DNA sequence: TTTTACATTTTTGAATGCAAAATTTGGGAT
DNA sequence: ATCCCAAATTTTGCATTCAAAAATGTAAAA
């Protein structure tokens, strides 16, 4: 089972920022590193290109996809739409157990907020959004969501999280959980859109910068 | 430039239903037919698998993706979400010229409706929805939309379009155009969701059946 | 007659090889 | 010294080849 892993491993390399956006992807080097020949590597690159993580230039090799400001805005919009949809669907289908799990994750996230642990907060935040998408019970939706968030996360950036913004985000999350518990699909959809719009403004206002693989792992959740 | 076309050609073969859902994809045969070797063909199959049109079974080759009823429902939901998002965005950005073009397409579609030409009606219907997505000015969104609609269209079916349903669809399209012209994003989003929900009910109620490549070309628009 | 074990054939997955295109390098002219 | 053009090298794209896994067919035993 070779080609299965290869896509995942290269995706990880890209997401880790080991190959920075816009940089050439050296086929021969990667072949040696992964101990595979060019055939499965090239197959994997084609798949990743279809996912939008890699750009293929005819006779000029492949590059790690470079996202412009516009690309980021576009992806955020799509992400927003997908999350809003997931929220609506989740409200129709989510089980009490799933709500309980999300509530627990929420409480933990709030704890990290109170402790001022931004990294753990982000992790918890991301887990909640993914749980909502999972609760929608729609694999096709989940797949697209994964793909889109991967592309967004691919472009690393540091967001200057001000206390005000952070407080707002937490407040929005309270509302998100509340809407979920009331199974208020329309309301949740609305809140999620606002939530992500704020996140987007925050990010795009700051611009985004590439970071080293050894960075703190700050990511958009 | 070979590999560019190969994906498109195989996709066309799949969309045309020449290889029915669930059927094995004979590598050797396709190679001879497309006059290419197995390497680019397999690369293309991997890409199509990432798109969801092809299933790859380890050591057992590739099959044309077979969509279950649940898969169809899921895809319709996603399509709905994407169209609703596109509608909202389009209202913010669409130019008068674009609205004019859509209005013209709408009138033509209504003409086909009056003439009872279902096939041409479907064609126009699809063109309108694609124009709205295009007017959203979001290539990432457009790409996902194309992929999702391709998968939906992949599963061919005959919808028993009753006069009532058809009339309702046309009425909804009037509302769609109206909301666009008023640039009422929220309203358009709402209408589009209802529109696609009706379409979905229509389709899933009927179930879907595979048809020959030589069929009438009835497709979900 | 049915079933199971084994050999053959086919097909898949990956490595290698080869031709074409692009990048790099070196030399000469302005 | 700089610019430009051509040869050499590298890299890409595809074809071919090779090994392994699955499918198929056959024969023997129950």
């Amino acid at each position: 089972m070779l080609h299965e892993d290869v896509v995942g491993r290269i995706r990880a390399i890209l997401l880790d920022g080991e190959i920075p956006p816009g940089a050439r992807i050296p086929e021969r080097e990667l072949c040696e590193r992964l101990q595979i020949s060019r055939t499965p590597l090239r197959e994997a690159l084609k798949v990743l290109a279809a996912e939008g993580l890699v750009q293929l230039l005819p006779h000029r090799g492949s590059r790690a996809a470079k996202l412009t400001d516009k690309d980021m805005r576009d992806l955020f919009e799509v992400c927003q739409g997908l999350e809003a949809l997931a929220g609506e669907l989740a409200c129709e289908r989510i089980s009490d157990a799933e709500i309980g799990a999300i509530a627990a994750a929420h409480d933990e996230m709030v704890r990290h907020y109170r402790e001022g642990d931004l990294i753990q907060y982000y992790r918890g935040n991301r887990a909640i959004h993914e749980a909502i998408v999972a609760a929608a019970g729609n694999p096709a939706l989940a797949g697209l969501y994964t793909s889109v968030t991967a592309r967004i996360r691919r472009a690393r950036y540091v967001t200057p999280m001000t206390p005000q913004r952070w407080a707002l985000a937490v407040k929005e999350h309270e509302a998100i959980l509340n809407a979920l518990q009331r199974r208020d699909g329309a309301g949740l959809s609305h809140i999620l859109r606002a939530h992500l719009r704020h996140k987007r403004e925050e990010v795009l206002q700051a611009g985004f910068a590439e970071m080293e693989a050894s960075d703190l792992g700050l990511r958009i959740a």
Side-chain angles (χ1 to χ4, degrees), chain A residues 4 18 36-38 42 58 61-62 98 101 116 118 128 138-140 142 147 154 165 167 175 187 195:
Chain A
E4 307 171 343
E18 207 167 326
I36 58 174
S37 80
R38 283 180 55 221
R42 288 172 51 77
S62 43
E98 284 174 310
L118 189 62
I128 290 171
N138 185 324
S147 165
R154 172 72 186 83
R165 289 193 179 285
H195 184 58

Side-chain angles (χ1 to χ4, degrees), chain A residues 84 87-92 94 99 175-192:
Chain A
E88 281 192 58
L89 297 175
C91 282
E92 296 173 19
I94 196 166
I99 287 185
I176 288 169
L177 181 60
N178 196 271
L180 251 184
Q181 286 169 330
R182 286 183 293 117
R183 290 185 167 78
D184 173 10
L188 178 55
S189 167
H190 194 261
I191 297 163
L192 281 170

Side-chain angles (χ1 to χ4, degrees), chain A residues 79-134:
Chain A
C79 190
Q80 215 173 306
L82 294 178
E83 284 208 13
L85 175 62
E88 281 192 58
L89 297 175
C91 282
E92 296 173 19
R93 296 162 192 174
I94 196 166
S95 68
D96 290 338
E98 284 174 310
I99 287 185
I102 290 177
H106 175 84
D107 291 342
E108 201 187 313
M109 190 190 73
V110 171
R111 213 188 63 226
H112 292 310
Y113 165 64
R114 295 230 175 83
E115 292 168 357
D117 189 340
L118 189 62
I119 292 170
Q120 284 300 101
Y121 168 81
Y122 271 134
R123 201 181 303 274
N125 179 30
R126 185 180 160 191
I128 290 171
H129 285 279
E130 283 175 354
I132 292 174
V133 171

Side-chain angles (χ1 to χ4, degrees), chain A residues 5-209:
Chain A
D5 309 320
V6 175
V7 173
R9 293 185 62 177
I10 300 177
R11 200 195 336 254
I13 289 175
L14 291 173
L15 291 180
D16 283 350
E18 207 167 326
I19 296 176
R24 282 182 53 125
I25 297 176
E27 279 191 10
R28 191 164 290 283
E29 223 173 275
L30 264 185
C31 285
E32 288 174 15
R33 174 165 162 191
L34 301 182
Q35 289 294 317
I36 58 174
S37 80
R38 283 180 55 221
T39 306
L41 180 81
R42 288 172 51 77
E43 287 176 351
L45 289 177
K46 289 234 177 4
V47 171
L48 292 169
E51 283 181 27
L53 283 171
V54 165
Q55 277 181 296
L56 259 46
L57 299 100
H59 290 286
R60 268 187 222 167
S62 43
R63 310 181 84 87
K66 177 121 185 174
L67 296 184
T68 65
D69 234 47
K70 169 75 161 61
D71 293 328
M72 282 294 289
R73 229 188 319 267
D74 288 349
L75 286 173
F76 263 101
E77 283 175 355
V78 174
C79 190
Q80 215 173 306
L82 294 178
E83 284 208 13
L85 175 62
E88 281 192 58
L89 297 175
C91 282
E92 296 173 19
R93 296 162 192 174
I94 196 166
S95 68
D96 290 338
E98 284 174 310
I99 287 185
I102 290 177
H106 175 84
D107 291 342
E108 201 187 313
M109 190 190 73
V110 171
R111 213 188 63 226
H112 292 310
Y113 165 64
R114 295 230 175 83
E115 292 168 357
D117 189 340
L118 189 62
I119 292 170
Q120 284 300 101
Y121 168 81
Y122 271 134
R123 201 181 303 274
N125 179 30
R126 185 180 160 191
I128 290 171
H129 285 279
E130 283 175 354
I132 292 174
V133 171
N138 185 324
L141 171 58
L144 294 187
Y145 181 75
T146 301
S147 165
V148 168
T149 52
R151 275 191 271 176
I152 290 177
R153 219 174 306 127
R154 172 72 186 83
R156 304 198 148 209
Y157 33 63
V158 262
T159 57
M161 182 64 113
T162 66
Q164 293 85 6
R165 289 193 179 285
W166 202 354
L168 174 62
V170 171
K171 200 160 185 172
E172 285 171 342
H173 261 273
E174 301 278 0
I176 288 169
L177 181 60
N178 196 271
L180 251 184
Q181 286 169 330
R182 286 183 293 117
R183 290 185 167 78
D184 173 10
L188 178 55
S189 167
H190 194 261
I191 297 163
L192 281 170
R193 271 187 284 215
H195 184 58
L196 203 54
R197 189 162 53 244
H198 292 152
K199 170 74 83 179
R200 192 193 69 177
E201 282 163 9
E202 172 188 319
V203 167
L204 290 181
Q205 181 190 305
F208 52 93

